[in-house]
């Protein structure tokens, strides 16, 4: 028997188990989060006898007579201070790491109420945040220290909700204090637990699946195989991904599911999975596009190994390059990388008495999940009711089915509530990654330094399944010319199936890869001309009214020149700086349907915003609230932001392509204008029950349109980054400027950029995803994620040229573009120092990599 205190109350347990499991499963104190289960991420931090510990590696047998404090054990004063400070400083995005951060802050401030920023960095260095870049979290802890130190009262925050004001994020308080619910925080009566048995090999014939021993286990509820699935395919666009691999079929990667096991207790799940006996014939895996494209290579899919092939040609690039004064041709390689969102994937499915399903998820589109689950089960879409809980980060990695379809399938078959949750290692092994790409880029200019043409050849490693490999390739191609004004542009891209973990959507959506290569080329070209890199870019930068390499005319709000001007002083401040610029689309574009939808409903004197637009940390709920308040002239206290739900919220598309601020924002503005008209001479109470519905449609031209100036996307953002390297060969400062059109919420926008900057820096210097012959070798702790003490100084500038008459008051998305130009800027800085070209990521011969 182990006896200890939790939040001042004595507890006893006969079982020795992880403290994290005891807190969450026995006491239902779910503010302590399960992020990695291996002591690497800090989301599960608690205080034991005054010292912070990782509860996922701390056993009850180590607790005898000790005192545990969790986020739920804060005093009322502490709750008020931390909730205010984290909201006021904009420290909360997806929120999954924040309770752990608060506990680390408490451990520091309990001993030192006058900490320096370095003290704070040290205190939270064991806590990973993937969203914020740590700056705002540090600010919040320093603010909390001041409130405690000086015994300050909690002031009133600005609740006007006007555009440009600091409105606390609508979900900041519940995320800070751990009361908001993610899927894994839910417990339903009679719930069972399910998990897939995964392939032992990346490529193997499944000869036989014997489930008899597993089914005989006393805790086993059910074991399902491929024949139990009505439609045994899933896939975001192309349904080529097996729900379960059937006997006689061939696996395509180590994440392939062979059988789906359910038990009454989660403690026995691994034991029962281990009783499923699978007989394989191992085959040699195809682990590179070159292998997959080789003559005689086995077909990984019935139609062959090429998922997509794209060509975009404008002018005559070959002729322009041949006649150019200066030409640079280089090869570039970028790796797979993991999203490393803080919340591992989890879903719960419940079968209703009428045969329909409720599905509780944390993905990037409830309607995509509804579509894929209903297709798999061969039931009407409206029979699948998808409800979004809080989403602990996504960055594109939660667009695909991971656990949702398996939870739904098992619930459908057993009639019981089912939870499916990935361990962190399962998440690494199974979910999609950023596509690895090989690129040959040629860039040419005349003797005055005017770019005259570029030719780009891209080969993308699709991995085992399509996911979003086609659209990612498109975006890598269409943006590979860079944000410059020239007419002769040719790009050819090929996305190739392999037996690696599938590639999918990842913040930047292919542009991180092609921008890296082109921007390193630009520095080399400038050197040949005899111009410095800033002058060269300034000369060629796209300006309003000019055409981009893809032919689209830049609108009057185009602000790349101003971005370059904003970072000019930083670039010229020393000899150890590097520069890169970028552009990124807002919206899906390229002629595809793209719609934002909002319904405003007046309930009990408050306006409820209903939209399926998922908040994955970027804060679309706060953006929509401020646009509503600005337009209708009401206070944020009069607004309720509802969670995405297929029963209530209209389909506003996937949270992807930096589109929600523009599309859902504009739909909200239009609906709010209708509300304002109805409010004339009335109060909200007078409008009880009324609804105001609006849509915004983005109209664009198809990829390869013959128009001289096609509209590929409804908007583009632009950015510039200067990286500074210190004498120890580490990045010490990042100066970034972004053309965002209009800033809706300054703190939130700045926090997005700080987080994107650190993520982009990690992509450049430290992050990698290691595989060997199709087997995943990376662990969460070895991904190369940057921590607070590794954060450089980050200086952010915004260029606002958007006007109120434009969609969403002129705002453009910031989520993706904020992570794009960092890797090439850092590469260019290192080359400026030592002359070495670095054309693969993560960069070598730095303070981070030998």
């Amino acid at each position: 028997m182990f006896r200890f205190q939790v939040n001042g109350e004595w507890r006893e347990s006969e079982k020795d188990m992880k403290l994290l499991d005891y807190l969450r499963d026995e006491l239902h104190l779910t503010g302590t989060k399960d992020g990695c289960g291996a002591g690497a991420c800090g989301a599960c931090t608690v205080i034991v006898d005054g010292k912070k510990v990782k509860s996922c590696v701390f056993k009850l047998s180590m607790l005898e007579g000790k005192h545990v404090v969790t986020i739920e054990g804060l005093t009322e004063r502490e709750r008020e201070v931390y909730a205010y400070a984290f909201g006021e400083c904009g420290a909360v995005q997806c929120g999954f790491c924040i309770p752990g951060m608060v506990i680390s802050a408490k451990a520091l401030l309990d001993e030192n109420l006058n900490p320096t920023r370095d003290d704070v960095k040290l205190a939270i260095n064991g806590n990973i945040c993937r969203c914020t870049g740590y700056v705002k979290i540090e600010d919040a802890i320093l603010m909390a220290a001041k409130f405690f130190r000086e015994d300050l009262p909690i002031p009133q925050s600005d609740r006007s909700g006007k555009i440009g004001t600091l409105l606390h994020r609508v979900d900041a308080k519940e995320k800070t204090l751990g009361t908001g619910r993610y899927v894994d925080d839910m417990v339903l009566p009679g719930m069972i637990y399910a998990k897939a048995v995964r392939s032992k090999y990346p490529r193997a014939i499944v000869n036989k699946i014997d489930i008899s021993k597993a089914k005989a286990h006393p805790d086993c509820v059910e074991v399902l195989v491929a024949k139990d699935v009505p439609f045994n395919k899933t896939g975001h666009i192309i349904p080529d991904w097996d729900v379960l691999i059937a006997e006689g079929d061939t696996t395509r990667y180590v994440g392939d599911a062979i059988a789906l096991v359910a038990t009454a207790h989660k403690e026995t799940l691994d034991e029962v999975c281990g009783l499923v006996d699978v007989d394989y014939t191992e085959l040699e895996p195809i682990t590179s596009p070159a292998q997959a494209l080789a003559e005689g290579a086995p077909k990984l899919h019935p139609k062959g190994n090429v998922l997509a092939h794209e060509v975009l040609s404008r002018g005559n690039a070959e002729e322009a390059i041949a006649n150019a004064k200066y030409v640079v041709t280089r090869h570039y390689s970028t790796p797979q990388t993991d999203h490393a969102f803080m919340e591992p994937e989890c879903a719960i499915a419940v079968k209703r008495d009428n045969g329909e399903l409720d599905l509780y998820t944390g993905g990037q589109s409830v309607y995509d999940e509804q579509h894929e689950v209903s297709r798999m089960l061969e039931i009407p879409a409206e029979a699948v009711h998808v409800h979004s809980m809080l989403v602990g980060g996504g960055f594109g990695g939660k667009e695909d089915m991971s656990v949702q379809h398996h939870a739904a399938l098992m619930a459908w078959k057993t009639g019981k509530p089912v939870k499916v949750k990935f361990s962190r290692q399962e998440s690494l092994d199974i979910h999609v990654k950023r596509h690895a790409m090989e690129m040959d880029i040629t860039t040419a200019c005349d003797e005055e330094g005017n770019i005259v043409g570029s030719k780009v050849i891209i080969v993308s490693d699709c991995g085992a399944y399509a996911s979003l490999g086609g659209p990612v390739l498109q975006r890598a191609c269409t943006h590979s010319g860079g944000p410059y004004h020239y007419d002769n542009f040719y790009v050819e891209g090929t996305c190739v199936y392999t037996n690696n973990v599938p590639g999918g959507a990842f913040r930047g959506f292919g542009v991180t890869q092609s921008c890296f290569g082109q921007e390193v080329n630009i520095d080399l070209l400038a050197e040949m001309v005899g111009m410095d890199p800033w002058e060269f870019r300034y000369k060629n930068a796209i300006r309003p009214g000019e055409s981009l390499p893809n032919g689209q005319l830049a609108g009057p709000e185009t602000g790349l020149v101003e971005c370059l001007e904003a970072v000019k002083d930083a670039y010229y401040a020393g000899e150890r700086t590097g520069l890169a610029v970028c552009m990124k689309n807002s919206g899906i574009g390229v002629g595809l349907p793209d719609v934002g939808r909002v319904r405003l409903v007046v309930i009990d004197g408050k306006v409820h915003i209903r939209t399926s637009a998922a908040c994955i940390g970027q804060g679309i709920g706060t953006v929509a609230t401020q646009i509503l308040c600005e337009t209708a002239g009401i206070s944020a206290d009069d607004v309720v932001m509802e969670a995405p739900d297929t029963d209530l919220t209209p389909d506003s598309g996937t949270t992807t392509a930096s589109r929600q601020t523009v599309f859902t924002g504009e739909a909200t503005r239009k609906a709010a204008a209708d509300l304002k008209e109805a409010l004339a001479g009335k109060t909200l109470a007078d409008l009880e029950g009324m609804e105001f519905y609006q849509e915004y449609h983005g109209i664009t031209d198809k990829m390869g349109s013959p128009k001289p100036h096609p509209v590929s996307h409804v908007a583009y953002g632009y950015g510039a980054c200067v990286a500074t390297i210190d004498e120890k060969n580490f990045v010490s400062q990042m100066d970034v400027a972004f053309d965002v059109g209009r800033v809706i919420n300054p703190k939130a926008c700045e926090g997005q950029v700080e987080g994107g900057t650190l993520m982009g820096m990690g992509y450049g210097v430290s992050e990698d995803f290691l595989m060997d012959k199709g087997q995943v070798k990376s662990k969460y702790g070895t991904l190369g994620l940057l921590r607070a003490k590794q954060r450089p100084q980050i200086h952010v500038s915004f260029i606002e040229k958007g006007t109120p008459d434009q969609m969403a008051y002129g705002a453009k998305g910031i989520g993706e573009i904020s992570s794009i130009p960092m890797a090439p800027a850092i590469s260019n800085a290192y080359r400026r120092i030592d002359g070495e070209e670095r054309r693969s990521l993560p960069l070598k011969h730095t303070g981070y990599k030998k």
Side-chain angles (χ1 to χ4, degrees):
M1 180 73 70
F2 308 107
R3 191 167 184 268
F4 47 88
Q5 277 192 8
V6 177
N7 297 330
E9 186 174 345
W10 283 101
R11 301 284 184 176
E12 293 181 347
S13 174
E14 294 183 355
K15 293 189 296 183
D16 191 13
M17 57 197 299
K18 289 182 178 180
L19 174 57
L20 174 63
D21 293 335
Y22 179 79
L23 294 173
R24 292 183 59 83
D25 298 340
E26 302 295 327
L27 302 186
H28 303 299
L29 297 176
T30 55
T32 305
K33 304 302 181 186
D34 184 4
C36 72
C41 79
C44 70
T45 303
V46 299
I47 295 174
V48 176
D49 281 359
K51 303 296 182 183
K52 62 180 182 179
V53 303
K54 310 287 181 61
S55 63
C56 69
V57 294
F58 206 89
K59 303 289 286 290
L60 297 189
S61 55
M62 303 162 66
L63 273 180
E64 183 64 38
K66 297 183 183 297
H67 303 263
V68 179
V69 178
T70 73
I71 190 74
E72 292 88 353
L74 297 182
T75 66
E76 185 59 34
R77 169 66 173 168
E78 287 174 323
R79 283 195 287 268
E80 290 177 348
V81 169
Y82 285 119
Y84 176 81
F86 275 70
E88 185 72 10
C89 292
V92 182
Q93 291 188 32
C94 89
F96 197 82
C97 74
I98 298 300
M101 292 286 185
V102 170
I103 291 296
S104 290
K106 174 178 168 56
L108 169 67
L109 300 186
D110 281 351
E111 295 185 356
N112 177 9
L113 278 180
N114 197 21
T116 65
R117 188 172 290 270
D118 284 343
D119 292 334
V120 172
K121 284 185 176 183
L122 179 62
I124 64 171
N125 203 53
N127 300 72
I128 289 175
C129 176
R130 196 64 168 149
C131 295
T132 67
Y134 303 107
V135 182
K136 299 287 184 279
I137 293 174
E138 296 164 20
D139 292 343
I141 295 171
L142 291 169
M143 178 182 284
K146 179 179 175 65
F147 271 78
F148 292 133
R149 186 171 65 245
E150 300 179 12
D151 195 25
L152 299 175
I154 303 298
Q156 289 293 316
S157 61
D158 186 340
R159 301 296 295 166
S160 70
K162 299 296 184 182
I163 288 177
T165 64
L166 170 56
L167 177 68
H168 289 197
R169 284 189 180 229
V170 296
D171 51 11
K173 184 176 181 179
E174 63 177 347
K175 287 178 174 178
T176 301
L177 300 181
T179 58
R181 294 209 300 171
Y182 301 83
V183 181
D184 191 35
D185 298 333
M186 297 177 61
V187 178
L188 300 180
M191 189 167 72
I192 62 175
Y193 302 85
K195 178 179 180 177
V197 175
R198 303 285 171 174
S199 177
K200 185 177 180 180
Y201 306 104
R203 183 167 173 261
I205 300 170
V206 177
N207 300 313
K208 185 172 178 57
I209 306 168
D210 184 352
I211 63 174
S212 58
K213 292 179 183 177
K215 295 200 75 168
H217 190 284
D219 203 44
C220 179
V221 176
E222 181 62 279
V223 181
L224 302 176
V225 292
K227 65 183 180 182
D228 299 310
V229 189
F231 178 70
N232 193 35
K233 293 286 185 179
T234 188
H236 196 59
I237 295 177
I238 298 173
D240 66 347
W241 201 327
D242 298 82
V243 176
L244 296 170
I245 299 290
E247 288 185 347
D249 285 352
T250 302
T251 67
R252 297 186 178 91
Y253 86 118
V254 291
D256 271 332
I258 309 294
L260 187 63
V261 173
T263 59
H265 302 90
K266 73 174 185 178
E267 293 84 0
T268 63
L269 198 47
D270 286 337
E271 179 184 341
V272 178
C273 285
L275 296 176
V276 175
D277 187 18
V278 185
D279 179 63
Y280 299 94
T281 298
E282 186 180 2
L283 302 173
E284 187 70 22
I286 307 299
T287 58
S288 74
Q291 284 181 280
L293 293 173
E295 186 176 351
K299 288 185 177 181
L300 302 185
H301 286 271
K303 293 183 179 180
N305 294 342
V306 175
L307 168 68
H309 182 253
E310 297 286 354
V311 175
L312 175 63
S313 181
R314 185 166 177 264
N316 190 328
E318 294 279 5
E319 181 179 324
I321 291 168
N323 294 330
K325 176 69 173 177
Y326 301 107
V327 179
V328 169
T329 300
R330 294 291 190 274
H331 181 81
Y332 297 93
S333 299
T334 61
Q336 281 194 324
T337 48
D338 189 80
H339 304 75
F341 34 70
M342 294 303 299
E343 176 205 22
E345 299 89 335
C346 185
I348 294 175
V350 185
K351 193 172 186 179
R352 293 182 176 182
D353 292 340
N354 65 0
E356 297 181 352
L357 276 179
D358 284 297
L359 182 61
Y360 299 90
T361 72
Q364 293 182 223
S365 171
V366 291
Y367 280 93
D368 288 347
E369 293 164 320
Q370 181 190 58
H371 167 69
E372 295 196 44
V373 167
S374 63
R375 180 179 61 189
M376 175 190 71
L377 296 177
E378 296 184 336
I379 60 177
E382 54 271 20
V384 179
H385 309 267
V386 186
H387 320 283
S388 181
M389 308 302 288
L390 294 176
V391 184
F395 314 112
K398 291 179 179 174
E399 291 189 39
D400 297 87
M401 294 301 98
S402 55
V403 290
Q404 305 95 315
H405 58 315
H406 284 162
L409 176 65
M410 187 59 76
W412 181 253
K413 289 292 185 178
T414 64
K416 298 178 181 293
V418 178
K419 176 184 281 189
V420 180
K421 176 191 173 185
F422 279 170
S423 68
R424 178 56 71 177
Q425 192 59 47
E426 286 174 316
S427 180
L428 292 175
D429 293 348
I430 297 162
H431 84 241
V432 300
K433 311 295 176 227
R434 177 182 273 128
H435 290 85
M437 292 188 184
E438 299 293 324
M439 299 169 287
D440 291 289
I441 302 178
T442 298
T443 317
C445 70
D446 63 20
E447 59 185 342
E448 282 82 36
N450 298 295
I451 299 176
V452 296
S454 182
K455 179 180 179 181
V456 181
I457 306 297
I458 299 173
V459 178
S460 173
D461 185 346
C462 186
Y465 296 103
S467 180
L468 285 151
V472 168
L473 178 69
Q474 277 189 342
R475 228 56 76 238
C477 288
T478 57
H479 288 62
S480 63
Y484 302 108
H485 172 52
Y486 60 95
D487 296 326
N488 301 295
F489 177 53
Y490 177 88
V491 59
E492 182 175 356
T494 309
C495 188
V496 185
Y497 287 117
T498 67
N499 291 125
N500 294 326
V501 177
F506 196 134
R507 190 180 206 172
F509 210 77
V511 185
T512 41
Q513 295 94 311
S514 59
C515 174
F516 169 66
Q518 187 65 266
E519 283 299 295
V520 173
N521 255 23
I522 290 293
D523 256 37
L524 297 171
L525 195 58
E527 184 176 70
M528 293 178 72
V529 178
M531 296 176 66
D532 81 42
W534 189 93
E535 291 175 337
F536 188 89
R537 287 177 173 83
Y538 195 75
K539 181 183 185 74
N540 289 283
I542 189 71
R543 288 165 167 83
E546 295 179 341
S547 60
L548 289 160
N550 64 15
Q552 182 160 342
L553 294 176
E557 77 286 351
T558 299
L560 179 58
V561 166
E562 290 86 347
C563 288
L564 276 164
E565 291 169 345
V567 300
K568 181 178 181 179
D569 289 347
Y571 180 73
Y572 289 119
E575 299 297 320
R576 302 177 69 87
T577 59
L579 172 66
V581 299
C582 69
M583 67 180 191
K584 182 65 177 74
N585 60 289
S586 292
I588 296 168
V590 294
L592 297 172
D594 204 358
V595 187
R597 298 181 176 93
V598 165
R599 178 176 290 109
L600 306 178
V601 186
V602 182
I603 303 172
D604 295 332
K606 294 186 182 292
V607 182
H608 288 236
I609 303 175
R610 291 179 174 173
T611 175
S612 74
C615 178
I616 58 175
Q618 86 283 24
I620 183 59
T622 310
V623 168
T625 297
Q626 292 192 247
I627 288 177
L628 168 59
C629 292
E630 176 77 23
T631 307
I634 61 177
S635 163
D637 292 327
D638 298 322
V639 180
V640 175
M641 186 72 203
E642 296 193 8
D645 189 318
T646 55
D647 289 352
L648 297 171
T649 59
D651 186 357
S652 201
T654 312
T655 292
T656 188
S658 297
R659 60 181 296 278
Q660 293 296 6
T661 291
V662 176
F663 283 77
T664 298
E666 175 61 8
T668 302
R669 187 195 64 78
K670 294 169 69 176
D674 294 340
L675 170 64
K676 181 180 181 180
E677 185 176 340
L679 271 172
K682 297 181 180 179
T683 67
L684 286 173
D686 297 325
L687 304 185
E688 184 67 25
M690 291 187 66
E691 298 187 4
F692 305 88
Y693 174 82
Q694 280 288 357
E695 301 178 350
Y696 167 66
H697 294 251
I699 307 301
T700 54
D701 297 310
K702 292 182 179 180
M703 180 87 170
S705 168
K707 293 180 180 180
H709 298 292
V711 176
S712 295
H713 297 280
V714 297
Y716 286 99
Y718 298 89
C721 173
V722 169
T724 302
I725 312 299
D726 65 19
E727 296 297 331
K728 295 181 179 179
N729 238 17
F730 291 96
V731 178
S732 59
Q733 186 167 307
M734 299 289 273
D735 290 83
V736 295
F738 289 101
D739 159 27
V740 296
R742 184 89 180 273
V743 174
I744 302 295
N745 186 306
K747 287 287 187 183
C749 195
E750 190 174 59
Q752 279 273 283
V753 170
E754 289 162 349
T757 297
L758 199 67
M759 183 178 284
M761 174 182 157
Y763 179 55
V765 301
S766 60
E767 292 184 35
D768 204 353
F769 185 77
L770 301 178
M771 299 188 69
D772 182 25
K773 297 180 181 179
Q775 298 285 349
V776 176
K777 298 301 180 182
S778 287
K779 308 295 182 183
Y780 192 78
T782 66
L783 290 174
L785 307 178
L786 295 175
R787 296 177 180 269
K789 287 181 67 177
Q790 296 169 293
R791 174 185 70 76
Q793 292 294 315
I794 302 174
H795 302 142
V796 180
S797 300
F798 290 125
I799 308 304
E800 295 184 88
K801 294 178 68 177
T803 56
D805 60 305
Q806 295 173 320
M807 52 204 172
Y809 289 100
K812 295 186 279 192
I814 190 62
E816 290 187 282
I817 194 172
S818 60
S819 67
I820 292 172
M822 291 76 206
I826 295 168
S827 178
N828 289 335
Y830 279 116
R831 191 184 74 86
R832 189 179 179 195
I833 294 167
D834 61 18
E836 178 186 342
E837 291 185 24
R838 293 166 173 82
R839 292 181 272 113
S840 63
L841 296 178
L843 303 170
K844 293 182 175 61
H845 305 147
T846 69
Y848 307 90
K849 298 280 184 180
K850 293 183 179 179

